[in-house]
Structure formats: C-alpha cells, structure tokens
Amino acid sequence: MKIINITITAKIKILPTIEQVSLLQKTVRAYRNGCNFVSEIVFHTKQLKQAALHRATYTELRSGFALRSQMAQSVMKTVIAKYKTNKNIGYGWSLVRFRKPEYDLLWNRDYSIMKDCFSVNTLQGRIKVPFIQKGMEKYFDGSWVFGTAKLICKHKKWLLLIPMTKYFEQASYKNIRQVVGIDFGQNFLATTYDSRGKTTFFSGRQAKHKRAQYKRLLKQLQMKKTPSARQRLREIRERENRWITDVNHCVSKALVSKYGKNTLFVIEELNCAQKEVCYGWYFEQLRQMLEYKARMKQSKVIAVEPKYTSQTCPKCGHTERANRNKKQHMFICKTCQYTSNDDRIAAMNLQQNGIEYIVAVTALA
Ligand SMILES: [Zn+2]
C-alpha cells in the first residue's frame, strides 16, 4: 500500500477578549517591527546565518522591542526565510519590508491548539484564546501534524493559518468502485456523469455573472492610466483571485463529498493554449484541489486528452464537429440523432475514457 502525505492549511477564526485583542495587537506589532529591524541588518550585512544574526540582533530584539526569547528567534527565522525565498525565485537583493502585522508561530513552542483552546505566546506570556470549532473536529483525532502557523489580523478579525499534514493510503485502481467524468465549464462550473448513468450539473450562473462584472471593472480601470487606477486594478485583481480560489474550493469539495471514497474522477487535460489564457491557472488550481481532496478519500483523478470529447456521440461513437452546436450548448448526433446538452456529452465521454483506462491498467497489473 502506497502512503502519501497531504498538507492543507486550516483557517481558524479565534475569539480574543477585548484585553486579549490589545495584547495580541501589541505582540504582532512588536513582532513586525522586530522583523523590519532584523531585515535592515540582513539587507546591509547579507548575513543569512541565524547564529551570526543572533549575535547581532538578539539583545536589541529583547530590550528594544520587548520580545520574549522564543519570539526573537522566530523573528530571525522569518526574516531569513523571506530573503531566501526572494533569492530562490530570482529577485534582486533588495530590502524586505514587513508591512502587515503577522506573527509566525512554531508548534508547541509559540502556540498549541487543542479541541477547545488555542494557546499563544505574547509579550506578556501565554494566553488562552477560544476559537470557532465548527469544522475543526477532524483535525484533533491525533492523525494530523500541526506545522508553523501564522497569526494575522484582517478587517479586525483574528485568524490563525495552520498547515496540517496527514498521511494517507493511496488509492489503488483495484479498489475503484465508480468512475465519474467531469467537464469543467462556465455555464456549469462542473457537469458530471457517473457509473450509474446519472448526470449532475453544478450551476455556474452566479459565478459567470460575477466574472463578467470583474471583467468589466478591470477593463475600465485598464483604460485609465493614473497611478490610483493602477493601484485599484491590483486590488481588484487580488480580490478576484481570492474569489476564484474560494469557488474552486467549493466546487472541488462538493465533487469529492458527493461521490465519496474509491472514485476515479476523469477530467480533461488542458491544452497549451488554454493554459496560457488568463483563466488557465484557475483550472490548474481547481485540478490540484480536486486531486488532494480526492486523495484524502482514497480516490484518484486522471486527466485525459480532450480530443473529441465534445464531438463524439456516446451512443454510437460517431465523431464529427457538426455534432455539437456550441452556441446553443446542444449536441445532436448526425448519425443516430442522439440529443443532449454538450457539457453532459463531454462528461459522458470522459467517464467512458475512465472506464477504458481502468480496464487497461488493471489488465497490466
Ligand atoms: Zn450517435
């Protein structure tokens, strides 16, 4: 049995009291200021070794910024990691500024979290803060490993981002008990066709509408060439990206929970042209999310060549471009007259591809 590990980031809303809020604010600010102080030194000295940096900054971090010992260490780690990341992605050597109040927390040293309580190190020692437990229960069954968390404050809400890792048995094709073809699109975010011959449409009307709104807004801003329009453009793009990520989470989650364990999902491989258009990353992200969520349920995802998936008649096999009327979202087979929604046809053909695939791989094994 193959074992794989999967890491996901849990976003937890914590509920500090008014006194705790002021203490947390002081703490994350001191932490951020500490980061900026160390960043200046790293920028000038190019020193990325923690021991040397410790000698140069520790005393000041403790006395000047009132950071506790463990927090001072964490500040150095955060700054070093940021410079290393910039280096690795090929940025030139430039001063890193820490603007957002954020606080990196090492599991068991800076924070711990149990079923009913989150405990965190502050400028005045540890405090215990309740959090919203809904949806979190599964992480406390002992099978998840907690990583370095980030405490952030956004729009006056306090959030804890924790990477959680768990080991999963990987699905084997022998155990697959159903095959589901998925066609991703815009009218329907997803159209599925399963082993029982059932079709499900995941409506995308709202998403399509919202995407059109974003498109219009971005176009207007692109025409204005003022600095403030550019700034606004960046903000809107970021907001749109966050929204798309959210939609992808919902769709992948809905798909995986609908079909349960030991499912083979069959999707279309994106071609190069699709990858390059602006929403290429959106499908890529959706695919990745579907993959890891499927793995957690001993399910699998395969991507197949999209050739003819929307032109082939699933009943008689006749393939012709004219079978499909793209504008009307209809498929009418020129040979046998089989008629259906075109997204559904794609899902049916993908499902068929998946069955053939399973037959082939299990015959080889
Ligand atoms: Zn036909």
Side-chain angles (χ1 to χ4, degrees), residues 43-204:
F43 174 67
H44 291 297
T45 62
K46 300 199 172 179
Q47 183 55 262
L48 287 172
K49 290 202 176 71
Q50 178 141 0
L53 214 49
H54 187 279
R55 283 191 293 277
T57 63
Y58 183 76
T59 315
E60 180 60 16
L61 284 172
R62 296 277 280 139
S63 59
F65 295 87
L67 294 174
R68 298 171 76 84
S69 165
Q70 181 53 38
M71 295 170 75
Q73 308 289 350
S74 173
V75 161
M76 293 175 224
K77 280 202 183 77
T78 297
V79 176
I80 292 170
K82 190 71 199 168
Y83 274 89
K84 282 188 175 166
T85 308
N86 282 358
K87 216 166 149 184
N88 290 340
I89 54 180
Y91 278 13
W93 188 260
S94 61
L95 178 65
V96 175
R97 286 196 183 82
F98 294 81
R99 292 196 171 83
K100 292 178 202 152
E102 290 178 353
Y103 176 13
D104 290 339
L105 307 166
L106 230 58
W107 167 246
N108 256 349
R109 298 181 78 167
D110 306 311
Y111 85 102
S112 65
I113 188 162
M114 277 163 290
K115 265 195 183 96
D116 50 356
C117 173
F118 160 61
S119 156
V120 60
N121 208 0
T122 70
L123 296 180
Q124 287 161 37
R126 275 187 176 261
I127 57 169
K128 286 181 175 169
V129 187
F131 61 91
I132 293 181
Q133 294 167 19
K134 200 172 155 259
M136 287 300 300
E137 304 84 356
K138 59 175 181 275
Y139 297 115
F140 298 104
D141 64 3
S143 64
W144 292 86
V145 177
F146 295 64
T148 297
K150 209 178 245 316
L151 181 66
I152 60 173
C153 180
K154 223 171 173 182
H155 310 303
K156 294 189 179 165
K157 281 183 204 142
W158 287 86
L159 298 169
L160 193 60
L161 308 176
I162 311 181
M164 313 232 193
T165 303
K166 180 174 172 166
Y167 295 90
F168 287 87
E169 287 174 4
Q170 194 158 359
S172 136
Y173 285 106
K174 281 195 315 248
N175 301 331
I176 294 294
R177 51 172 193 84
Q178 65 175 341
V179 180
V180 177
I182 311 175
D183 181 64
F184 292 124
Q186 299 204 348
N187 281 304
F188 300 109
L189 291 171
T191 305
T192 59
Y193 188 81
D194 64 29
S195 291
R196 283 171 302 159
K198 200 172 174 303
T199 309
T200 309
F201 295 99
F202 295 80
S203 173

Side-chain angles (χ1 to χ4, degrees), residues 220-284:
Q220 285 166 7
L221 287 167
Q222 265 160 353
M223 294 200 296
K224 292 186 210 164
K225 303 232 183 281
T226 62
S228 71
R230 265 197 291 275
Q231 169 67 19
R232 180 104 178 99
L233 192 66
R234 204 173 316 133
E235 284 166 14
I236 302 284
R237 278 223 177 90
E238 277 171 18
R239 198 195 300 159
E240 186 191 25
N241 290 353
R242 279 198 301 274
W243 168 70
I244 289 175
T245 302
D246 237 33
V247 171
N248 280 346
H249 261 304
C250 292
V251 174
S252 51
K253 192 175 166 190
L255 286 166
V256 167
S257 51
K258 178 172 172 65
Y259 292 104
K261 280 193 168 180
N262 302 317
T263 303
L264 177 72
F265 293 102
V266 190
I267 60 173
E268 274 187 1
E269 184 81 72
L270 289 185
N271 61 39
C272 298
Q274 284 169 313
K275 271 181 193 163
E276 273 168 30
V277 299
C278 43
Y279 289 107
W281 73 268
Y282 148 80
F283 285 108
E284 192 53 37

